Amino acid sequence: MTEQVKITLPDGSQRDVARGTTPAEIAAAIGPGLAKAALAAKVDGELYDIMRPLEADAQLALVTAKDEKDALELVRHDFAHILAEAVQALFPGTQITFGPATDDGFYYDVAAPASRGPFTEEDLPAIEAKMREIIAADKPLRREVWSREALIERWASQGESFKAEWAAELPGDEDLTVYWSGNDWLDMCRGPHLASTGKLDPQAFKLTRVSGAYWRGDQKNAMLSRIYGTGWLNKKQLDAHLLRLEEAAKRDHRRLGQEMDLFHLQQEAHGSVFWHPNGYVIYRALEDYMRRAVNGAGSKEVKTPQVMDARQWEQSGHWGKYRENMFVIPDETPNIEDDGPMVSNDAQWMALKPMNCPAHILIFKQGIKSYRDLPLRLVENGCCHRNEPHGALHGLMRVRQFTQDDGHIFCREDQIVDEVQDFCKLADRVYKDFGFTYSIKLALRPEKRFGTEEMWDLAETELRDAVVRAGLATEEYGWEELPGEGAFYAPKLEWHLTDAIGRTWQVGTIQSDRVLPERLDANYVGEDGEKHRPVMLHRAIFGSYERFIGILIEHFAGKLPVWLAPTQAVVATIVSDADDYAKEVVAKLAAAGIRAETDLRNEKINYKVREHSLAKVPNLLVVGRREAEEGTVALRRLGSDEHQKVMTVDGVIAQLVAEATPPDLR
RNA sequence: GCCGGAUUAGCACAGUGGUAGUGCAGCGGUUUUGUAAACCGAAGGUCGCGGGUUCAAAUCCUGCAUCCGGCACCA
C-alpha cells in the first residue's frame, strides 16, 4: 500500500496525489473555474461523489453540467431525496421507500401517515416550498458506509418498516451506503450525489402529480403515494420541458379525434370505438394497404367466428389462463324477468374471442395438410374482445374491442428462420411507408413458462438468427434482448416505433409457438409419410388498427399524409358567384379519386381557412371570381407559413393524385 | 382492479345551500366577402345515475357508473 495514488485525467496527463484525495481537491488544483463547475466525478467510468476519497490508481474525469446526461441524473436523484425530506418534515410519520430519477425528472414513493390518508395534488405547493428551503440551506450531502445490521436497526427504530424490509433483503452481504443530506436527513442510497444541495437550481424543478403505486410494484402489496416531479439543470430547461408537454398534449389523439370528428367513445360501450365517417376513412385506407402488403407476401385472408364454445377455449388453454379477460356469455336466454337464477344450472358457456390463433388452427386442421402445403400463411383482420382492467382503458390506445392485423404462419422447423426473416423485411417496408423509425427487441424466456429449456434455446436462437440474417440486429435498429419479457409459450420479437416527438410504441411482433399446435393437435404429413407437428408463428405489424391509428394521429399531430387524410381537399368559395365553378372542380377531383368537398357557406374566406386548417384538411382550394374566369384554383397547403399557389385545375389534380396514392403503389 | 382527481348546453368552461350562466358551434336574419373567427337575434340544460340530509341541493353526505393522471396489466 503506497501513500500516493496515480490519477490519469482525460487528456492523458497524470498526477500523483495522496491516497484519500477527493476529486473536488483535484478539480481545485486544476483551476477555480473547474472546481466550481464540477458536479461529480467519473472514476474508471463509474459515477462518483466529488467528495469521495480516491483510494487507488484511477482514470478520473470531472462531470460538469456539460455532461448533460450524467448531470441530469445526479440532479434528479438529489431532487428526489430533497422531496422525501421535505415530505417528512411537513408530515411527520410519513415513511419513505424508494425514489429514483426518471427520464424527465424523479419521483419518491412514500407511505402517508395513517392519520391523514394519501397525499393529493393540493399538498404539492407546500412540499415544493419546503424543498426550496432545503436547497437554499445549501447543506453538504455526505456519504457513509454502514453495516447492514446497524442500518436495519436504525430504520426499525424510526418506524421505517419499508426501508428496514428492503435493507434486510438487498442482495449480497456487503455493507450499505447511506447519505446524509439537508437537515441531517438520512437515506439509504447507492449514490452518487452532488456535494451540496446548493448546487441545485431551486427554479429548475416542479412537482407535477401524485398517484398511487404499489410497494415494490406488486399488486399484492401496500399502495403508496408516488409524488412525481420534473427536474432540470436550470429554469430554461424546465420551461422548455413544460412547453414540450403542452405540445405533446396538443397531439393527444383523443383531443384530435374529437376536433377532426374521427371517432368517439361513450359510457354505454366504454372501451369500444364508434368510428365516425372521417375516422373510418383512415381505418379502411389502412385495411386496404395491409391487404396489399400481406397478399404480396403470400398470405391468404380468412375470417373466423366472433363467438366460440367455452370447450374450445378450454382446449386452447385460454379458459384457464385468460378467462378473467374474456367476455363470457351463456348459450341460452338469460332469465331477467324473475328474481330467480339468471341462467340454468347446466348452462353452456360461450366466449367472444380474445385472440384469433385458435380459430386459425381450426382452419389449418380442416382436411389433411401435406408438407407441401407449408408454409401456410393465414391472415385475418380479426376483431377481438378483451375485458381489460378498467383503469387500463385509454382512448384508442387501450380498448376492449379491437381489430388486429393478425396472422399465423404454419411451417416446418426448417422454414422458421426464412419466414421470420421475410417478416422482418415486410415490417421494415410497412413502417418506413408510414415514416416511422423503429427498434427491434427480442423478449426472452419469462420466469413462468411452458416447455423445456431446449425448446426455449431453440426458439430464441431461431428468432435471433433471423434478425441477424435480415441485417437488422444492429445498433441502428436498436437491437436489444430483453430477459424475462417473453410470452409464457414463446419468445417474442417486438417492433418498437419511435414517433415524431421521440416516444416509443410497441406495435409489431412475431413469436414462434410450439405449444398451441400441440394443445389443439395440429399436424401435417411429412415427406416420410409420418405425422409431424407444425410450428406456428404468431405475427402482426400494426398490432391493432385502433392503436395504430392512435399512434398515427399523435405522430402526425393530426396532419395525416394526403393518402390517409379523411378529406383530402376542400374547394372553398370567396363569393357565391364561384359556387358553380367550385362544384365543377370538386366533381373533377372526385372523378380522379380524390376525397374532396365544397365549402359554399356564406362565410368569409378567413373563416373557412381557419376552420379547415383546424380540421387538418391538407389542401384548401380557394376559388373566387378570378379563378372561375381563368379556370384555376389558389392552392393553400395546410400550415399558414406556406404561401398559396395559383394552379390550373389539371395541375392541381395531377399533384393531389400523386400525393393521394398510397406509398406502396407509387 | 388499486390510489387520487373529475363529471354542468353539441364543445370549452364559470357557478359551493335560495330563480342555472359565459364563449364557440347549431338555428333565423343581415352581409358577397381574397387566405387562421363579419354583425344582429331567438333558442338550447332531469347540472352522470340512484339514495339520503335540509323548508330548500348543481352545491353537503352516501352508493354506483364513466372519464382523467399514475400503479398493476397489455395489441
Side-chain angles (χ1 to χ4, degrees):
Chain A
M1 296 273 273
T2 60
E3 288 311 306
Q4 295 280 303
V5 293
K6 193 179 286 293
I7 300 303
T8 309
L9 295 166
D11 63 2
S13 68
Q14 294 194 326
R15 284 169 187 247
D16 291 315
V17 298
R19 177 189 304 281
T21 300
T22 66
E25 287 161 347
I26 294 174
I30 295 171
L34 184 59
K36 197 165 172 233
L39 299 172
K42 259 199 173 164
V43 177
D44 294 332
E46 194 187 333
L47 267 182
Y48 238 58
D49 297 315
I50 200 154
M51 301 305 288
R52 181 166 166 193
L54 296 161
E55 302 291 350
D57 293 355
Q59 301 274 341
L60 174 73
L62 291 157
V63 174
T64 67
K66 283 184 186 149
D67 306 296
E68 195 159 279
K69 191 162 170 280
D70 290 330
L72 282 171
E73 168 98 24
L74 282 159
V75 159
R76 286 166 182 167
H77 197 173
D78 282 22
F79 278 130
H81 277 235
I82 292 166
L83 163 61
E85 181 185 346
V87 172
Q88 285 199 317
L90 291 169
F91 307 98
T94 302
Q95 288 191 62
I96 54 171
T97 69
F98 177 67
T102 63
D103 286 346
D104 63 10
F106 55 92
Y107 65 79
Y108 211 111
D109 285 350
V110 298
S115 54
R116 65 143 286 157
F119 293 108
T120 71
E121 289 186 11
E122 287 173 16
D123 298 317
L124 297 184
I127 299 171
E128 274 186 10
K130 192 73 186 173
M131 287 175 70
R132 294 208 167 86
E133 256 177 55
I134 295 168
I135 292 169
D138 194 14
K139 295 272 185 65
L141 287 100
R142 292 195 331 272
R143 178 180 187 273
E144 283 177 9
V145 178
W146 285 35
S147 77
R148 190 175 291 246
E149 294 70 32
L151 189 52
I152 293 171
E153 198 177 302
R154 162 131 185 159
W155 291 135
S157 73
Q158 289 188 336
E160 296 279 7
S161 55
F162 295 101
K163 279 287 188 189
E165 176 187 329
W166 198 14
E169 289 182 26
L170 272 173
D173 49 5
E174 294 152 34
D175 290 337
L176 300 171
T177 54
V178 298
Y179 279 81
W180 292 99
S181 65
N183 195 14
D184 286 331
W185 187 80
L186 184 80
D187 198 357
M188 174 170 77
C189 180
R190 262 198 311 255
H193 282 282
L194 300 180
S196 141
T197 55
K199 295 270 182 189
L200 296 168
D201 181 342
Q203 301 306 322
F205 79 97
K206 181 174 162 56
L207 298 182
T208 49
R209 53 181 175 255
V210 181
S211 81
Y214 299 106
W215 166 233
R216 298 176 139 196
D218 190 329
Q219 280 192 75
K220 293 191 281 291
N221 290 340
M223 177 63 70
L224 307 168
S225 287
R226 175 169 296 179
I227 302 175
Y228 282 93
T230 181
W232 301 85
L233 297 175
N234 52 56
K235 184 164 193 310
K236 199 174 154 197
Q237 283 184 347
L238 172 67
D239 290 343
H241 175 70
L242 296 176
L243 192 65
R244 275 197 299 278
L245 291 184
E246 272 176 46
E247 292 302 315
K250 283 185 198 157
R251 293 173 175 260
D252 192 310
H253 72 282
R254 293 165 299 183
R255 173 172 167 170
L256 287 167
Q258 187 182 66
E259 287 174 5
M260 297 168 70
D261 194 17
L262 302 178
F263 65 89
H264 85 270
L265 294 155
Q266 69 180 57
Q267 190 168 323
E268 290 75 10
H270 70 279
S272 299
V273 183
F274 292 78
W275 286 106
H276 296 192
N278 283 346
Y280 202 49
V281 167
I282 304 171
Y283 191 111
R284 288 201 314 272
L286 292 180
E287 266 186 338
D288 293 346
Y289 172 91
M290 189 51 78
R291 283 209 171 91
R292 292 191 299 269
V294 294
N295 288 346
S299 298
K300 294 184 165 71
E301 185 170 352
V302 296
K303 197 75 184 171
T304 62
Q306 211 60 46
V307 178
M308 287 201 293
D309 196 288
R311 281 168 296 194
Q312 186 62 59
W313 298 112
E314 276 165 31
Q315 206 190 340
S316 69
H318 290 84
W319 197 254
K321 287 259 177 212
Y322 208 71
R323 194 174 59 230
E324 61 183 29
N325 284 311
M326 290 166 69
F327 289 101
V328 176
I329 48 179
D331 189 12
E332 62 181 34
T333 307
N335 174 8
I336 55 168
E337 261 122 64
D338 308 325
D339 291 338
M342 295 281 282
V343 294
S344 56
N345 287 332
D346 53 355
Q348 298 293 303
W349 295 97
M350 306 194 77
L352 270 72
K353 66 174 170 186
M355 299 182 194
N356 305 299
C357 28
H360 290 187
I361 297 191
L362 297 179
I363 291 178
F364 179 88
K365 282 177 65 179
Q366 290 293 305
I368 295 172
K369 292 293 180 291
S370 151
Y371 69 94
R372 292 196 186 91
D373 297 322
L374 304 184
L376 180 65
R377 309 181 189 93
L378 300 180
V379 293
E380 175 174 5
N381 285 318
C383 175
C384 295
H385 288 81
R386 295 184 190 171
N387 198 349
E388 300 286 354
H390 286 195
L393 300 178
H394 180 92
L396 297 177
M397 302 302 190
R398 196 74 184 276
V399 288
R400 304 207 299 177
Q401 177 191 315
F402 56 96
T403 301
Q404 296 177 311
D405 64 313
D406 205 2
H408 297 92
I409 301 169
F410 298 89
C411 65
R412 305 190 309 255
E413 296 279 344
D414 62 296
Q415 294 170 324
I416 296 173
V417 174
D418 280 348
E419 286 301 316
V420 174
Q421 199 182 326
D422 286 351
F423 179 77
C424 288
K425 288 178 190 159
L426 179 61
D428 178 75
R429 207 193 86 204
V430 170
Y431 298 141
K432 286 186 175 153
D433 274 347
F434 287 90
F436 287 112
T437 57
Y438 61 86
S439 58
I440 306 182
K441 319 277 180 201
L442 177 58
L444 304 170
R445 68 195 80 184
E447 266 179 49
K448 286 182 189 167
R449 57 182 182 265
F450 285 156
T452 61
E453 292 310 291
E454 290 72 34
M455 187 203 95
W456 280 92
D457 289 341
L458 182 64
E460 289 173 359
T461 306
E462 288 158 0
L463 294 183
R464 189 183 293 117
D465 281 359
V467 180
V468 169
R469 283 218 239 154
L472 301 173
T474 64
E475 207 170 305
E476 186 196 345
Y477 287 97
W479 174 249
E480 196 182 358
E481 303 198 359
L482 307 171
E485 305 253 316
F488 64 89
Y489 53 85
K492 298 195 284 190
L493 278 178
E494 301 173 345
W495 275 256
H496 296 248
L497 301 187
T498 303
D499 75 8
I501 55 173
R503 297 170 302 183
T504 59
W505 307 90
Q506 202 237 296
V507 286
T509 181
I510 187 164
Q511 309 158 13
S512 69
D513 176 11
R514 290 170 173 81
V515 173
L516 213 50
E518 179 81 31
R519 289 191 73 103
L520 296 185
D521 191 30
N523 54 60
Y524 67 91
V525 180
E527 269 177 292
D528 54 6
E530 301 291 320
K531 281 186 180 177
H532 296 274
R533 198 66 81 198
V535 175
M536 185 180 190
L537 305 175
H538 303 243
R539 38 110 302 164
I541 299 177
F542 290 158
S544 84
Y545 283 88
E546 287 76 5
R547 179 180 288 179
F548 197 72
I549 292 172
I551 295 168
L552 287 175
I553 293 169
E554 303 213 350
H555 175 62
F556 290 112
K559 297 173 189 167
L560 294 165
V562 177
W563 73 281
L564 290 172
T567 301
Q568 295 169 320
V570 166
V571 179
T573 51
I574 293 170
V575 291
S576 49
D577 288 352
D579 286 3
D580 289 341
Y581 178 65
K583 288 179 195 161
E584 221 177 277
V585 173
V586 163
K588 282 185 185 168
L589 288 166
I594 303 297
R595 296 185 286 269
E597 287 166 19
T598 51
D599 183 351
L600 311 179
R601 291 175 303 170
N602 177 13
E603 297 288 354
K604 290 194 154 196
I605 195 63
N606 289 330
Y607 182 90
K608 295 184 184 183
V609 165
R610 176 181 156 81
E611 202 166 74
H612 299 300
S613 298
L614 289 174
K616 310 284 191 289
V617 174
N619 296 288
L620 188 61
L621 280 50
V622 178
V623 296
R625 284 198 190 89
R626 200 155 64 221
E627 287 76 12
E629 279 162 20
E630 294 170 358
T632 57
V633 299
L635 174 65
R636 188 189 207 278
R637 313 279 281 176
L638 182 57
S640 53
D641 38 355
E642 215 175 315
H643 289 299
Q644 57 152 344
K645 198 162 89 183
V646 178
M647 297 176 78
T648 62
V649 174
D650 288 345
V652 159
I653 288 175
Q655 181 174 327
L656 295 193
V657 165
E659 287 177 2
T661 304
D664 59 315
L665 298 178
R666 280 174 198 164

